[in-house]
Amino acid sequence: MASGEEDGAVEEKETNNKKKRTKSAIAIAWLTVYNIAMTAGWLVLAVAMIRFYLQKGTHRGLYRSIARTLKFFQTFALLEVGHCAIGIVRTSVIVTGVQVCSRIFMVWFIASSIRQVQNQESVILFLVVWTVTEITRYSFYTFNLLNHLPYFIKWARYNMFIVMYPLGVIGELMTIYAALPYVRRSGMYSLRLPNTYNVSFDYYYFLIIVMLSYIPLFPQLYFHMLRQRRRVLHGEVIVEKDE
Amino acid sequence: MKQVEILDTETKEQLCFLDKVEPHSTISDIKGLFHKSYPRRYPARQALTLHPQGNLLKDDEVLQNLPGGTTAKLYFRDLGPQLGWTMVFLSEYVGPLLIYLLFYFRVPYIYTPKYTFTSSPHPVVSLACACHSFHYIKRLVETIFVHRFSHGTLPLRTMLRNCVYYWGFSAWLAYYINHPLYTPPSYGERQIKYALFIFMLCEAGNFSIHYSLNSLLGEGPKCRRFPHPSKNPFTWLFFFVSCPNYTYEVGVWVSFSIMTQCVPVALFTLLGFVQMTIWAKGKHKAYTREFKDYPALRMPILPFIP
């Protein structure tokens, strides 16, 4: 679910080239810089992960080695919510917000704060998925803004998610599931009764609810993206026939 | 005499052809005729438009004022099962009333077995139960005897969503107030007494406003007047606020939060305040647009705050 894709930005950039020219030059410049920076950031992460694995031969300790860079770039993505809010990117603020928040939740409140799960294979799974997805996505936006979109990037953007998305969800769910016993034992992020303000919060049950929420949300997002893909690729076919 | 053709908005196929319709018939009459051919599609769930993406035609629109020659073409969309406002409010209010009581009497499976059917040693817990129940009983009484609702209806889906919200929240806050480990308010008796006093004042205020709004509507929908303060001191809030019923409602829940000193109650109060502010602002805008002599001092929900 966190390996999500925003489609509004794509639609806007693909169909409204004329509108883009009238859009503020500063906005375009900023977005180009932002997307290049993010592409670079995730490339750095990918390289760091590969190097670690080649040098150490194991995935143990891999998360710890890239944790700071991951936190930085994933948290930086909050800016995308701002882009939608001020209108320079045509996507729903809520959709972007939910996607970025779920990523930040995984990074800060699961992987980084629960040390015992950091060496799980499922962590590597979602890290790989996220890295591939984000490099594709940000380079897609970058090339779009520069008006030079290589077909293979467009292809990657609209086809890789079919495999990446379910894999990412599996990685995330397995990681949360692995974290449950440690959360229960330590009572972390939880508030117990009695207390002056008569409220309680159980992080363990909260995580279970989070996992259950994937059930209604994942299919909706997945089929939405499938529909987007059909629309974009279907539209493309028609154009080719005319030519 | 005119003819009316009704097509399905999505499939564009003809659903119904009405012959010999009086030109001065209203949309409401046409909906009635459509209902005869489709007994399950009662008028409240019919949405008729002039174009497939057009605006909903109001029930009091007259046929001869609509564009088109001798045959008027209308598009039909099914709004789904609808419920009258009375039904909606009754279900929304009966739930919280009964659910809270389940927690108050500590029925089995909610708290640990040794607390089943026990009662709390704190008097404020019983007081809170009395207040909460009073609040919802008052609302039920108002729904049945005081409010006069328009013909409007609510889709089933919306009502279910509202019920989940009200019922869920009342379960959540009842859980904490009636919990064996409940902690009474920090400032003890004094806090509870003051909160109770404000609670009762706001309930009385809220009821006064509903009563006064009801007598306004009583003169028929054609008479368009906005509410005024009357001899009842509680209605003097109308000098400052367009929707004092919402103001008093917020007051009720704020005082209940203070009385119970419980965060879930405060959260419910906050969400209710946000929602009611949105409604109040809408109402205020409608009033100021419709009445040129609308008092400038009045604010939507909080005095002096626009």
Side-chain angles (χ1 to χ4, degrees), chain A residues 36-50 131 135 139:
Chain A
I36 291 176
M38 293 303 269
T39 314
W42 285 92
L43 275 167
V44 161
L45 269 170
V47 165
M49 283 167 61
I50 295 170
T131 313
I135 293 175
S139 52

Side-chain angles (χ1 to χ4, degrees), chain A residues 193-201, chain B residues 176 179 181-183 186 261-263:
Chain A
L193 288 177
N195 59 66
T196 335
Y197 294 106
N198 294 304
V199 64
S200 69
F201 179 75
Chain B
Y176 287 107
H179 200 281
L181 297 175
Y182 170 76
T183 314
S186 312
Q261 198 166 296
C262 180
V263 163

Side-chain angles (χ1 to χ4, degrees), chain B:
Chain B
M1 283 299 192
K2 291 191 87 165
Q3 292 158 325
V4 179
E5 195 188 356
I6 301 181
L7 311 170
D8 185 289
T9 305
E10 267 167 58
T11 63
K12 310 285 189 300
E13 48 175 82
Q14 192 191 76
L15 295 170
C16 184
F17 190 83
L18 301 167
D19 228 348
K20 298 203 181 73
V21 184
E22 296 269 343
H24 55 257
S25 316
T26 59
I27 292 288
S28 147
D29 298 326
I30 293 174
K31 283 185 179 176
L33 292 170
F34 185 84
H35 178 44
K36 290 210 182 103
S37 315
Y38 291 87
R40 277 178 159 206
R41 310 270 180 258
Y42 43 86
R45 71 192 273 183
Q46 296 177 30
L48 293 176
T49 55
L50 285 170
H51 312 286
Q53 278 89 35
N55 293 326
L56 278 178
L57 291 166
K58 293 216 168 90
D59 277 353
D60 50 11
E61 289 258 16
V62 179
L63 183 59
Q64 65 186 14
N65 295 340
L66 298 175
T70 39
T71 310
K73 205 186 253 188
L74 297 174
Y75 289 91
F76 164 82
R77 208 178 78 234
D78 190 354
L79 295 171
Q82 301 283 308
L83 292 145
W85 285 115
T86 311
M87 225 22 255
V88 168
F89 283 136
L90 286 181
S91 21
E92 284 178 9
Y93 300 153
V94 162
L97 179 65
L98 297 178
I99 288 172
Y100 191 102
L101 290 174
L102 290 177
F103 286 87
Y104 178 73
F105 290 114
R106 294 187 181 160
V107 310
Y109 299 114
I110 298 179
Y111 305 111
T112 46
K114 72 172 181 182
Y115 291 111
T116 307
F117 293 128
T118 55
S119 54
S120 172
H122 309 290
V124 66
V125 172
S126 303
L127 182 63
C129 180
C131 288
H132 187 270
S133 308
F134 172 78
H135 180 74
Y136 282 100
I137 292 174
K138 168 181 154 292
R139 281 209 198 176
L140 285 167
V141 164
E142 281 175 350
T143 306
I144 299 171
F145 295 107
V146 176
H147 286 310
R148 260 177 250 191
F149 296 110
S150 53
H151 302 297
T153 56
L154 203 66
L156 180 67
R157 267 208 169 164
T158 312
M159 192 213 90
L160 286 175
R161 186 201 65 192
N162 291 353
C163 278
V164 166
Y165 174 76
Y166 284 117
W167 297 24
F169 239 118
S170 68
W172 193 44
L173 57 92
Y175 174 78
Y176 287 107
I177 300 174
N178 299 295
H179 200 281
L181 297 175
Y182 170 76
T183 314
S186 312
Y187 294 100
E189 279 289 319
R190 204 193 308 175
Q191 183 172 337
I192 299 169
K193 281 216 174 73
Y194 280 139
L196 178 64
F197 181 64
I198 308 285
F199 178 87
M200 303 271 42
L201 274 187
C202 290
E203 290 283 23
N206 182 268
F207 180 78
S208 309
I209 304 300
H210 284 154
Y211 187 79
S212 122
L213 285 174
N214 177 63
S215 51
L216 199 70
L217 272 175
E219 294 157 37
K222 295 282 165 64
C223 169
R224 304 290 301 171
R225 273 179 34 211
F226 61 85
H228 287 278
S230 66
K231 291 210 186 70
N232 182 341
F234 287 116
T235 62
W236 295 350
L237 199 48
F238 269 122
F239 283 120
F240 302 104
V241 156
S242 292
C243 301
N245 49 328
Y246 294 147
T247 317
Y248 283 123
E249 181 76 16
V250 173
V252 160
W253 286 104
V254 166
S255 58
F256 191 67
S257 312
I258 296 173
M259 192 197 298
T260 55
Q261 198 166 296
C262 180
V263 163
V265 181
L267 204 61
F268 183 68
T269 309
L270 180 67
L271 291 177
F273 174 63
V274 167
Q275 177 65 82
M276 284 189 274
T277 304
I278 295 172
W279 290 337
K281 286 199 161 171
K283 253 248 153 105
H284 184 76
K285 203 184 271 190
Y287 278 146
T288 46
R289 218 184 293 151
E290 188 169 343
F291 301 103
K292 298 293 172 270
D293 57 339
Y294 200 73
L297 184 63
R298 285 197 199 179
M299 295 291 134
I301 186 172
L302 294 175
F304 311 119
I305 300 181

